[in-house]
Amino acid sequence: MELSWLMKLRIAAAAGVGVLLIYVVARPLAVSSEAIGGRAALVAMAFLAGVIGYFVSWPYGREIGILAVPSGLAVWAVRSGSMATLIQLNPTVAQRQELVASLKWEPFFWLAIVAAGFAGALLGQKIRSSPKLKETQQESNPGPGKYLNAAIALVGSALIAQFCIRIFAQEIRISNSSLGSVVAQPAIGQVAFAVLVSFGLAAFAVKKYLNLSYVWPSIATAFVTAFAMHAYAKQVQYLARNWPAAFFSNAVASVLPVQMVAFGALGSVAGYWMAVRFDYWRKHEMK
């Protein structure tokens, strides 16, 4: 079941809207403006990107329009440098500890930006609903196990993604008696690939075994970074005194929050639809 050229065009259009509004328009405002004003502008642009993304990809706006904001953030993430560069700008132990403390909470801000884009797409759905939704938005029925399944999806996604990122984001690894090993900062392409694939696998599993959407793996992106920064904070003093800034105890700590959320959200949506297509293929193969 291949994507038609028209579907690919819709996806490209939604992604283009996100890149234009988030990276081209909102990023300069967020960087140059006063903090609160810049963040407010970014949230507003994210919401608008979700609305426009819905309409440029109609009648599949609910499924494709949500890609607008993560696509814009993905370009932003690629141009944001690396964690190693950020640590090099904060060479002392005290500076690094302060940096890590702030990075622990930063992914929740980026997740809020993605959520604003999702909300924009939902508004577009209310303005002009699509008959396609009935065919694609079926999930597990509400019941006593609903919240338990959601919790399992959230925790499971975080564990799967963290495990897989350590495997896929490979760079030079050196044995270390205190930490077991340290790994060098992966290239941005390797980071993007690792996060996309890892959250894609997590979302695939969540859809396949819990019949839940990409929302839970997307939310898990923030928790993966938060836990990685919490663990890294305990190792800052040792790493600062014994290793260059480009080395980390594991690859997860080398991913910037914006990179984790942007690529993780895109991977979550892709993994969800891969599971849908896989179930469709198996259903028709059985016949």
Side-chain angles (χ1 to χ4, degrees):
M1 192 168 65
E2 297 250 347
L3 291 176
S4 67
W5 68 268
L6 188 57
M7 185 66 75
K8 293 178 181 177
L9 186 61
R10 290 188 180 105
I11 294 173
V17 168
V19 172
L20 176 63
L21 293 181
I22 300 299
Y23 181 74
V24 178
V25 176
R27 184 174 184 269
L29 293 174
V31 171
S32 61
S33 303
E34 179 265 333
I36 297 177
R39 290 182 178 183
L42 182 55
V43 171
M45 286 296 106
F47 184 81
L48 183 60
V51 174
I52 298 176
Y54 177 89
F55 287 105
V56 300
S57 55
W58 196 89
Y60 297 97
R62 176 63 179 82
E63 297 87 344
I64 299 175
I66 57 173
L67 297 174
V69 172
S71 297
L73 285 182
V75 178
W76 189 328
V78 169
R79 302 299 297 273
S80 294
S82 68
M83 182 72 79
T85 302
L86 197 56
I87 291 175
Q88 287 171 344
L89 297 175
N90 298 270
T92 69
V93 172
Q95 286 176 322
R96 292 188 187 185
Q97 288 174 333
E98 186 177 347
L99 172 66
V100 172
S102 66
L103 291 177
K104 185 189 300 185
W105 303 108
E106 185 179 318
F108 294 97
F109 168 72
W110 295 115
L111 187 61
I113 300 302
V114 172
F118 280 25
L122 289 175
L123 176 63
Q125 178 186 340
K126 288 184 178 296
I127 296 172
R128 187 180 184 185
S129 61
S130 167
K132 302 290 183 182
L133 289 173
K134 293 180 180 178
E135 300 174 10
T136 58
Q137 297 298 315
Q138 295 178 350
E139 293 190 357
S140 56
N141 296 326
K146 177 182 178 181
Y147 298 108
L148 177 59
N149 283 346
I152 293 172
L154 185 61
V155 174
S157 295
L159 292 175
I160 292 171
Q162 184 173 179
F163 175 77
C164 291
I165 289 172
R166 294 185 183 206
I167 295 175
F168 295 131
Q170 289 291 339
E171 249 300 335
I172 297 174
R173 184 176 294 276
I174 302 175
S175 298
N176 178 264
S177 57
S178 297
L179 302 176
S181 65
V182 292
V183 61
Q185 171 72 58
I188 180 58
Q190 191 72 22
V191 168
F193 169 79
V195 178
L196 276 166
V197 173
S198 298
F199 279 97
L201 292 173
F204 184 95
V206 165
K207 172 58 180 172
K208 185 81 175 82
Y209 298 109
L210 297 174
N211 198 28
L212 293 177
S213 78
Y214 42 75
V215 170
W216 301 108
S218 297
I219 294 175
T221 59
F223 289 96
V224 169
T225 294
F227 289 135
M229 290 299 103
H230 177 75
Y232 182 70
K234 300 177 181 178
Q235 302 154 353
V236 164
Q237 191 170 18
Y238 176 82
L239 288 168
R241 291 177 177 175
N242 295 278
W243 290 92
F247 283 87
F248 304 86
S249 56
N250 65 74
V252 182
S254 70
V255 182
L256 289 171
V258 65
Q259 295 169 345
M260 187 73 77
V261 174
F263 297 125
L266 288 173
S268 296
V269 175
Y272 170 85
W273 287 110
M274 285 177 64
V276 171
R277 293 179 65 184
F278 178 77
D279 286 342
Y280 177 88
W281 173 79
R282 286 200 63 183
K283 180 179 177 181
H284 287 77
E285 186 73 11
M286 294 286 289
K287 292 181 178 180

